[in-house]
Amino acid sequence: MANAEETPNPDILFRGIDGNECEAFVAAIRDRAFAQGMNEGDPWMLRYATSRLRGKAMRWHAKLDPSTRQDWDQFVQALFEEYPFVDERDEGEVATPV
């Protein structure tokens, strides 16, 4: 039986909803790597992250260039380009200059 450190965290999933989910996903993968002692674990983070993709995100990943699918930094850059950050202000809200 695998110990808790070896089992995937079912809470870390990326479905391709939006940029906020994407940013939280990348941060969670990095936090998990740090907790596992994988500070320099780009290959580990890449394998783990791709195992946590679901739905739209999994289909997007399948279409990526192979070189991007094999490099953590390129993978993260591609994620952020495909799923840009969403400002959490209401669409009708107007920023007031100070």
Side-chain angles (χ1 to χ4, degrees):
M1 183 171 181
N3 67 33
E5 290 181 327
E6 294 173 351
T7 56
N9 184 339
D11 296 334
I12 301 176
L13 292 176
F14 181 60
R15 293 179 176 86
I17 295 170
D18 63 25
N20 296 340
E21 180 201 24
C22 180
E23 190 173 296
F25 175 72
V26 172
I29 296 296
R30 289 179 175 160
D31 289 347
R32 177 100 170 142
F34 183 77
Q36 295 292 318
M38 301 288 185
N39 303 0
E40 301 295 324
D42 287 359
W44 183 90
M45 287 191 293
L46 184 61
R47 283 191 314 275
Y48 185 70
T50 58
S51 76
R52 310 310 299 157
L53 300 176
R54 300 293 184 271
K56 181 180 173 184
M58 183 184 288
R59 291 176 180 278
W60 165 82
H61 178 262
K63 295 177 185 176
L64 282 176
D65 183 84
S67 63
T68 302
R69 290 194 320 246
Q70 296 173 3
D71 181 274
W72 169 251
D73 292 329
Q74 289 182 26
F75 173 69
V76 171
Q77 182 177 356
L79 275 170
F80 288 158
E81 287 173 5
E82 182 70 15
Y83 304 98
F85 182 74
V86 178
D87 191 352
E88 299 205 20
R89 287 185 290 163
D90 291 343
E91 290 183 23
E93 187 176 325
V94 176
T96 306
V98 179

